[in-house]
Amino acid sequence: MLETVPCNLCGGADTELLFGVTDHCTGQEQKFNVVRCRSCDLAYVNPRPTQDIISQYYPQDSYYSYRFGDQNTLKRRIRNYVLEEQGGYSHIGKDNVLVIAIGKIIKHLLKNQVLMSVPYVPGGKALDIGCGCGELLLWLKNHGWSEVRGVEISKGAAALANDHGLNVFCGELANAHYPDSYFDYISLIHVLEHMHDPVMTLNEICRILKPDGLLVVGVPNFASYENKVFGEYQSFMKEVPRHLYHFSKKSITDMFEKSGLMIQMTLGKTFFLPGANRNSLKILYRHESKATFIRALWKIYIQKPIKYFLSTEKEAFGQLFTFYVRKKNGT
């Protein structure tokens, strides 16, 4: 069943159709409209699947967040090393020279492209919302956080996390009933765009976050350079209708403000996503002319680096955003 909803940010119902996207999640080739609110610029799927049926777009056996990855791959070990370096943690693994060397290069040369860092809080309490099977929670637990908790709507993923000795609540955040001002750190990494009511989620986060606590939010950037080139053919659009909302920096900043939060720092991942661009180009090639495809190649691989170099707002180019967010006035 689909439902038609007003804008989650301003409550308005006056929208413009941006484009239609075919569902790639179930193989049913259902069409969904991505619209933009004329009042506040928030883009979202409308009509959309209700909460009662949205689970059918998240296959338990294949959705990536519901599976534990190999923790000992070179990529994972480098990632762990960088997270430890950036967050002020002790190195708990026995890393070889290659891992350390690459990790140091990434930390020092690519720091503005490394999106997520979890600053260590001795004795701190952390919450990961949309934690999947709990890989981040397990990492935090192994790195000295006194209490780590998770929230996950998938019964299978939550059960897998709890089987690993974690504390994961299965359901919506508001139903977990955490105390006021309880958590030092909350992460919401590529989850907010999946929420049916992101404003309500952020309001609840503001309530349970400590006055000096940190919220880290990661979302795709709907106003990215790639989005302007590819539109409905951008690879991230394959996540519709799992991605119910599509944020620009303006719309998510307004949403934070409405919920009593403010952005402390913004990072945008602009390069080092070659797979996303290749997939977007493949989709474009299947649906548009060769001339359009060649223009897209030119814009992505020739024009983009030049425009990025000349831009005064480099973070706006990024396909992915990470926001480091605090409560307003520490309230």
Side-chain angles (χ1 to χ4, degrees):
M1 180 183 297
L2 301 183
E3 61 180 357
T4 299
V5 295
C7 175
N8 189 250
L9 178 55
C10 72
D14 184 14
T15 61
E16 61 175 326
L17 175 66
L18 298 179
F19 44 74
V21 179
T22 301
D23 157 37
H24 293 272
C25 304
T26 64
Q28 297 177 7
E29 297 191 351
Q30 187 176 6
K31 202 81 167 181
F32 291 94
N33 292 333
V34 177
V35 304
R36 178 160 47 210
C37 177
R38 296 183 189 272
S39 297
C40 69
D41 257 6
L42 178 65
Y44 57 102
V45 175
N46 204 28
R48 68 185 189 185
T50 64
Q51 286 185 302
D52 292 337
I53 68 166
I54 194 67
S55 61
Q56 74 184 49
Y57 299 96
Y58 293 83
Q60 292 286 329
D61 58 346
S62 62
Y63 189 57
Y64 68 93
S65 291
Y66 297 164
R67 295 172 292 163
F68 257 102
D70 185 351
Q71 303 298 304
N72 201 39
T73 63
L74 178 62
K75 180 179 179 181
R76 186 60 61 96
R77 288 161 61 196
I78 292 170
R79 174 183 176 274
N80 289 342
Y81 182 88
V82 173
L83 285 175
E84 289 168 345
E85 283 282 298
Q86 287 191 319
Y89 297 87
S90 299
H91 294 291
I92 64 173
K94 294 182 179 180
D95 296 317
N96 59 33
V97 174
L98 179 63
V99 170
I100 295 172
I102 296 175
K104 287 185 179 296
I105 290 172
I106 291 174
K107 178 191 173 186
H108 292 292
L109 298 183
L110 308 179
K111 60 182 179 180
N112 290 330
Q113 298 291 317
V114 178
L115 293 184
M116 196 183 93
S117 177
V118 185
Y120 179 53
V121 178
K125 299 173 182 176
L127 173 68
D128 187 20
I129 301 169
C131 65
C133 58
E135 286 189 288
L136 175 60
L137 294 177
L138 189 60
W139 192 93
L140 293 173
K141 182 179 179 180
N142 291 337
H143 282 80
W145 285 74
S146 66
E147 185 177 337
V148 295
R149 293 174 179 259
V151 173
E152 173 55 51
I153 62 170
S154 166
K155 292 180 180 179
L160 182 59
N162 289 324
D163 287 344
H164 281 79
L166 299 170
N167 187 340
V168 173
F169 174 81
C170 184
E172 299 291 338
L173 173 63
N175 295 328
H177 302 299
Y178 295 121
D180 292 350
S181 303
Y182 190 73
F183 291 102
D184 299 278
Y185 170 83
I186 298 176
S187 57
L188 197 66
I189 306 301
H190 295 288
V191 173
L192 193 65
E193 65 269 25
H194 295 256
M195 298 284 189
H196 277 74
D197 193 342
V199 168
M200 183 178 71
T201 298
L202 291 174
N203 286 340
E204 180 68 1
I205 287 172
C206 189
R207 182 185 70 80
I208 63 178
L209 187 66
K210 287 184 177 180
D212 60 347
L214 174 66
L215 166 66
V216 178
V217 179
V219 294
N221 176 14
F222 192 63
S224 70
Y225 182 84
E226 277 77 8
N227 189 72
K228 294 171 184 175
V229 172
F230 295 119
E232 66 264 43
Y233 303 124
Q234 188 178 10
S235 60
F236 292 137
M237 290 298 106
K238 291 177 68 176
E239 290 295 316
V240 171
R242 291 195 289 238
H243 285 190
L244 297 171
Y245 288 91
H246 303 275
F247 297 103
S248 64
K249 186 176 181 184
K250 177 187 181 303
S251 62
I252 200 167
T253 299
D254 291 344
M255 194 169 282
F256 288 143
E257 289 280 333
K258 184 173 183 177
S259 302
L261 301 163
M262 62 180 182
I263 298 172
Q264 181 182 53
M265 179 175 67
T266 303
L267 294 178
K269 194 171 184 70
T270 304
F271 299 101
F272 312 108
L273 286 171
N277 283 338
R278 284 198 301 269
N279 289 335
S280 297
L281 286 165
K282 287 178 182 177
I283 299 168
L284 182 71
Y285 184 80
R286 289 198 299 267
H287 292 88
E288 295 292 339
S289 67
K290 288 185 178 179
T292 301
F293 176 76
I294 291 171
R295 283 196 296 270
L297 284 173
W298 172 263
K299 290 178 180 179
I300 293 298
Y301 294 114
I302 305 299
Q303 283 190 349
K304 179 182 174 181
I306 297 171
K307 290 189 174 184
Y308 177 79
F309 178 76
L310 297 174
S311 174
T312 57
E313 292 186 282
K314 290 182 169 52
E315 67 191 27
F317 271 76
Q319 294 188 63
L320 302 174
F321 272 141
T322 297
F323 300 98
Y324 290 74
V325 180
R326 303 280 186 181
K327 285 187 174 183
K328 288 182 182 177
N329 304 317
T331 57

